[in-house]
Amino acid sequence: MASKFKLPLLLFLLFLTAACLASKDPELKQCKHQCKVQRQFDEQQRRDCERSCDEYYKMKKERERGKGRNYEREEEGDDDDEEKNPYVFEDKHFEGKVETGEGRIRVLQKFTQRSELLRGIENFRVSIVEANPSTFVIPTHFDAEILLFVAQGRGTITVIKEKRGSFDVKCGDVFRIPSGAPFYFINKDEHQKLKIVKLLQPTSVPGHFEIFQPAGGENSESFYTAFSWDLLEAAFKIPREKLERFFDQQKPGTIIKASREQIRSLSQHEEIIPRIWPFSEGETERPFNLLKQHPWQSNKFGRLFEAYPDEFSQLRDLGVAVAFANMTKGSMMAPHYNSKAMKIAVVVEGEGGFQMACPHLSSSSGRSGRWSEREQERKGGRTYQKIRGQLRRGVVFIVPAGHPFSVFASPNHGLQIVCFEVNAYGNTKYLLAGKDNIVNKMERVARELGFNTPGREVERMFRQQEEEFFFPGPNQQEHEWAEA
């Protein structure tokens, strides 16, 4: 009889232990929280995600116990920067999927390859395409939903669903390509490069996508060649010899030069006009231009454009918002944070910097000069790691939900950033400085008690900035506040 109670009791103890671990370790808690809020995950994917969080946590604790201080010192010398700042990705973190004399396609490494803190966006990837003037990118399809932003240039994209749809695109356009849909595009400009930033959501293997090319390329083969010649003979009703000659001939590459006549021919298309729902099942929606929307914020220091999934059908089932920030030289964004959305930001032009407060690294890294987790619990306090990064063209940085951050442009360059915000439904931006900051919305008594400072002084500190979102940056302030 007693044996019947051993297994339930053991399971209860294991559950209790796991619950204790989750409540004590903020990294594990954040990891599991991100698993729960992913709208695209089904129940099984959520369980797999949470199980991976537990496995990572156990592995981390075993490593800390087994290697001790020697391990920590060794890691501090080799991977100190990686551990301190897993939120900024540079050129070295990209893989060159395609590179020809006419352009290149680069793909950012998986986010969780850098840190488990980024598990909330594990099923998203970033890719950057650059095509030289007057070029053609050969037909292909992906096992991933694709959301693209045209960062520079102009072109024509053709997508095939039940029908063929060709769409002219230009700087600022946002376009959705469904998973599995064949597409190809041209850079129709004779002088300027076409640059496209893509956010991909794989549909087969979480965090991993594949590229399928019917025509092959210089360093890749056609997927048709995976079939037997007998099967291809029957499918095409063409003799094997002709099929072999056709598929074995050398292809020039994924991005190839096109003549002026070819570009003109591909540009003179008939666009398929989508019909009104529900009669547009087989057709592709037109792109929309983000820069033609009314800006959410705008002044002489910068402009911020946003498109949310409840406003644009191309974004709806992805639950992703798209934003574009254009900042003038020496300006900055107000420190703020997102309530729910996790931001994936790509610098498309300019230079500047990024700063963020992160509680996870400060409590889990065990570096000298910071409180340990036990000390924090005893003191009832918390410390934050100062995450910083230099921004320039091609840099990608991540801002998790709830993390206060700010971005600023250098004194000599403006800064342009395109952002994809995952889990955007119901998201709110909370401003921490500027005339609309959250402290200004609190009662005077709440400000006094919270900051342990007379209400007038708190009010004076938080009402000094007259701008709302874009300000003069740290290298442009005239320090009038010091004299006030």
Side-chain angles (χ1 to χ4, degrees):
M1 184 72 176
S3 63
K4 293 183 179 180
F5 295 96
K6 286 183 180 179
L7 184 57
L9 179 60
L10 178 59
L11 291 174
F12 174 76
L13 290 174
L14 288 172
F15 172 80
L16 189 61
T17 302
C20 291
L21 289 175
S23 64
K24 289 183 178 180
D25 188 270
E27 184 176 347
L28 180 61
K29 189 175 181 180
Q30 171 73 3
C31 182
K32 288 192 172 185
H33 171 71
Q34 291 296 334
C35 293
K36 291 178 181 177
V37 299
Q38 296 310 301
R39 297 170 64 92
Q40 73 273 14
F41 282 5
D42 58 28
E43 193 58 36
Q44 182 60 46
Q45 287 175 316
R46 286 193 180 91
R47 286 197 295 268
D48 292 342
C49 180
E50 291 181 357
R51 190 180 304 113
S52 297
C53 292
D54 289 326
E55 291 172 357
Y56 165 75
Y57 180 82
K58 291 176 183 177
M59 181 178 67
K60 172 183 155 188
K61 288 301 179 184
E62 289 173 1
R63 185 179 64 185
E64 289 174 353
R65 286 194 298 267
K67 304 246 179 170
R69 293 181 180 176
N70 290 334
Y71 175 84
E72 289 182 3
R73 282 197 294 269
E74 181 181 344
E75 286 291 299
E76 193 167 27
D78 295 340
D79 299 314
D80 188 58
D81 292 337
E82 295 286 319
E83 184 175 354
K84 281 184 179 179
N85 193 356
Y87 299 102
V88 177
F89 296 79
E90 300 180 338
D91 286 343
K92 63 182 179 181
H93 300 110
F94 280 87
E95 304 167 356
K97 285 288 185 182
V98 172
E99 187 149 7
T100 73
E102 298 300 336
R104 62 177 182 167
I105 301 173
R106 298 184 302 148
V107 178
L108 188 65
Q109 66 181 193
K110 286 182 64 175
F111 292 114
T112 48
Q113 187 176 335
R114 189 79 180 278
S115 173
E116 290 294 321
L117 289 170
L118 304 181
R119 181 166 288 278
I121 51 174
E122 179 185 24
N123 198 35
F124 289 90
R125 302 293 298 275
V126 170
S127 176
I128 299 177
V129 180
E130 297 179 6
N132 287 352
S134 302
T135 51
F136 174 71
V137 180
I138 69 173
T140 186
H141 75 266
F142 289 66
D143 58 346
E145 296 286 339
I146 303 174
L147 187 63
L148 61 83
F149 175 84
V150 181
Q152 177 184 299
R154 59 194 185 97
T156 299
I157 298 179
T158 299
V159 182
I160 300 173
K161 292 182 71 177
E162 291 180 8
K163 299 180 180 180
R164 186 187 73 249
S166 294
F167 306 91
D168 289 331
V169 294
K170 58 185 179 299
C171 184
D173 276 353
V174 177
F175 189 58
R176 170 83 174 272
I177 299 176
S179 178
F183 70 97
Y184 49 90
F185 58 92
I186 58 170
N187 179 356
K188 62 197 303 182
D189 197 285
E190 295 184 353
H191 306 288
Q192 189 178 38
K193 281 188 176 183
L194 177 65
K195 295 184 180 179
I196 295 175
V197 180
K198 297 194 295 186
L199 181 73
L200 301 101
Q201 185 186 48
T203 53
S204 297
V205 180
H208 183 82
F209 67 89
E210 292 293 348
I211 303 170
F212 300 85
Q213 294 179 336
E218 186 176 4
N219 297 313
S220 59
E221 61 182 6
S222 164
F223 57 67
Y224 283 114
T225 60
F227 297 100
S228 68
W229 294 115
D230 289 342
L231 187 146
L232 292 176
E233 277 187 302
F236 287 99
K237 296 180 67 175
I238 297 291
R240 174 174 176 170
E241 299 76 25
K242 291 185 178 180
L243 288 170
E244 287 182 348
R245 285 197 301 271
F246 179 78
F247 286 112
D248 287 346
Q249 62 185 342
Q250 183 69 26
K251 306 299 190 305
T254 300
I255 305 174
I256 58 179
K257 193 72 174 178
S259 68
R260 182 174 295 179
E261 292 73 21
Q262 290 169 328
I263 293 294
R264 186 181 298 114
S265 175
L266 289 169
S267 300
Q268 294 173 350
H269 52 76
E270 287 187 21
E271 287 193 351
I272 295 174
I273 309 299
R275 289 169 290 178
I276 299 174
W277 184 91
F279 305 105
S280 57
E281 285 290 320
E283 301 186 7
T284 304
E285 295 188 75
R286 294 177 180 275
F288 68 88
N289 193 278
L290 183 60
L291 305 185
K292 290 185 177 180
Q293 310 305 311
H294 184 74
W296 181 68
Q297 293 287 343
S298 178
N299 63 15
K300 64 181 180 180
F301 305 110
R303 306 180 83 189
L304 179 64
F305 301 87
E306 295 183 322
Y308 275 86
D310 53 356
E311 300 171 336
F312 294 90
S313 57
Q314 296 96 323
L315 311 175
R316 193 161 295 150
D317 60 323
L318 292 177
V320 174
V322 185
F324 183 80
N326 189 358
M327 303 169 61
T328 60
K329 296 177 182 179
S331 64
M332 66 174 285
M333 283 184 187
H336 65 285
Y337 66 89
N338 285 321
S339 62
K340 295 178 64 177
M342 201 163 181
K343 182 188 296 288
I344 303 171
V346 183
V347 180
V348 297
E349 197 61 61
E351 296 179 2
F354 156 72
Q355 296 186 15
M356 183 176 74
C358 179
H360 308 301
L361 298 180
S362 64
S363 62
S364 62
S365 60
R367 301 289 183 202
S368 59
R370 308 190 189 109
W371 288 350
S372 68
E373 187 176 339
R374 185 174 297 175
E375 287 174 326
Q376 290 179 31
E377 291 176 353
R378 180 171 54 83
K379 294 176 182 289
R382 172 158 293 281
T383 61
Y384 299 92
Q385 173 68 35
K386 298 175 182 178
I387 301 297
R388 299 185 179 183
Q390 292 184 344
L391 303 182
R392 56 187 174 277
R393 185 191 306 163
V395 168
V396 178
F397 63 94
I398 311 300
V399 183
H403 286 52
F405 77 100
S406 181
V407 174
F408 54 92
S410 75
N412 301 318
H413 299 86
L415 190 61
Q416 296 180 2
I417 304 172
V418 60
C419 303
F420 302 99
E421 297 188 347
V422 177
N423 196 36
Y425 280 109
N427 181 62
T428 300
K429 282 183 174 62
Y430 287 102
L431 306 186
L432 305 176
K435 67 178 183 181
D436 200 33
N437 71 76
I438 59 175
V439 177
N440 285 344
K441 297 178 181 180
M442 299 177 184
E443 299 97 328
R444 180 174 178 177
V445 174
R447 294 196 292 260
E448 288 182 345
L449 293 172
F451 289 94
N452 192 29
T453 303
R456 285 187 178 180
E457 188 172 343
V458 178
E459 184 174 340
R460 182 168 173 265
M461 294 291 291
F462 283 89
R463 292 191 185 276
Q464 185 70 18
Q465 178 59 260
E466 296 177 351
E467 301 293 345
E468 186 170 343
F469 190 76
F470 291 110
F471 320 141
N475 296 312
Q476 298 248 333
Q477 295 278 8
E478 297 178 358
H479 301 298
E480 294 177 355
W481 57 268
E483 303 170 3

